[in-house]
């Protein structure tokens, strides 16, 4: 709450400086980009609480802008960095579900896998990593998904015995 109180006056100042009441479409695009860039600075400075509040605020004002999917992704990224994994999952799934043409689809799908890994749900994580590889095979995210699969913990002794033909008691 303290962070929000520190960020809020700056955001209000940005709003007044943008003069939204008489903004033309190109001015609205400029103002949304300005606000987005300002909030990204908070994220880059690792002030995830302030960035989270800022991206949510951005989505309230500019939810239909071309940057909305990106802002939604960064909401999830802030939640992930803050250890709020269930909230992060919802945010990343929101990108995948509501922004089918977003350039953040591969990144969101990968982050869903990484979030499941953090939550120790390795089966769902594996499914998401495989989806990244299948849907975006040439992407940087696919390479990260391959590495995550290579580093994934081996499921359990029963799965190993099915693969090798040996039982754990052999």
């Amino acid at each position: 709450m303290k962070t929000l109180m520190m960020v809020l006056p700056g955001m209000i100042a940005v709003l007044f400086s943008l003069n939204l009441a008489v903004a033309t479409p190109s001015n609205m695009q400029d103002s949304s980009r300005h606000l987005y860039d300002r909030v990204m600075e908070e994220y880059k400075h690792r002030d995830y609480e302030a960035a989270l509040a800022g991206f949510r605020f951005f989505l309230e004002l500019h939810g239909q802008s071309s940057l909305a999917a990106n802002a939604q992704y960064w909401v999830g990224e802030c939640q992930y960095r803050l250890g709020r994994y269930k909230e992060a999952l919802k945010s990343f799934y929101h990108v995948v579900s509501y922004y089918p043409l977003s350039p953040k689809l591969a990144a969101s799908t990968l982050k869903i896998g990484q979030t499941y890994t953090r939550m120790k749900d390795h089966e769902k994580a594996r499914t998401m990593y495989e989806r990244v590889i299948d849907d975006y095979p040439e992407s940087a995210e696919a390479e990260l998904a391959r590495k995550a699969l290579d580093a994934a913990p081996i499921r359990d002794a029963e799965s190993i015995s099915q693969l090798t033909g040996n039982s754990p008691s052999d």
Side-chain angles (χ1 to χ4, degrees):
M1 188 67 168
K2 182 180 176 186
T3 304
L4 182 60
M5 296 307 291
M6 291 172 30
V7 172
L8 198 54
M11 288 185 185
I12 291 171
V14 168
L15 282 178
F16 283 115
S17 70
L18 298 176
N19 197 4
L20 295 176
V22 294
T24 63
S26 66
N27 286 346
M28 281 295 283
Q29 189 173 4
D30 290 345
S31 67
S32 67
R33 172 50 84 175
H34 180 70
L35 178 57
Y36 179 88
D37 290 344
R38 186 168 177 164
V39 177
M40 274 305 295
E41 286 301 313
E42 298 292 340
Y43 180 84
K44 289 175 185 174
H45 287 101
R46 297 181 178 176
D47 189 347
Y48 302 123
E49 287 288 355
L52 178 59
F55 285 121
R56 285 178 171 160
F57 185 66
F58 177 91
L59 287 167
E60 285 182 34
L61 291 178
H62 303 288
Q64 301 302 313
S65 81
S66 61
L67 294 170
N70 287 17
Q72 183 64 50
Y73 170 83
W74 290 110
V75 165
E77 191 66 54
C78 290
Q79 293 162 328
Y80 180 88
R81 300 285 176 133
L82 292 166
R84 299 175 189 163
Y85 300 124
K86 288 182 182 179
E87 292 175 38
L89 272 179
K90 289 178 188 176
S91 294
F92 294 129
Y93 271 118
H94 191 89
V95 174
V96 172
S97 299
Y98 295 104
Y99 301 100
L101 302 176
S102 170
K104 289 292 190 189
L105 287 178
S108 294
T109 307
L110 177 68
K111 287 307 283 198
I112 291 168
Q114 291 172 334
T115 305
Y116 279 130
T117 297
R118 290 283 181 151
M119 296 172 73
K120 308 270 189 256
D121 190 336
H122 300 294
E123 194 58 40
K124 286 182 181 174
R126 175 176 296 281
T127 299
M128 297 313 291
Y129 293 141
E130 289 171 351
R131 183 173 297 167
V132 172
I133 293 165
D134 291 344
D135 293 351
Y136 315 99
E138 301 301 318
S139 68
E141 290 84 1
E143 185 58 33
L144 292 171
R146 284 183 196 93
K147 288 178 182 176
L149 286 172
D150 289 344
I154 298 175
R155 293 183 191 161
D156 60 13
E158 187 175 307
S159 297
I160 294 169
S161 67
Q162 290 173 354
L163 293 172
T164 63
N166 299 325
S167 69
S169 60
D170 288 346

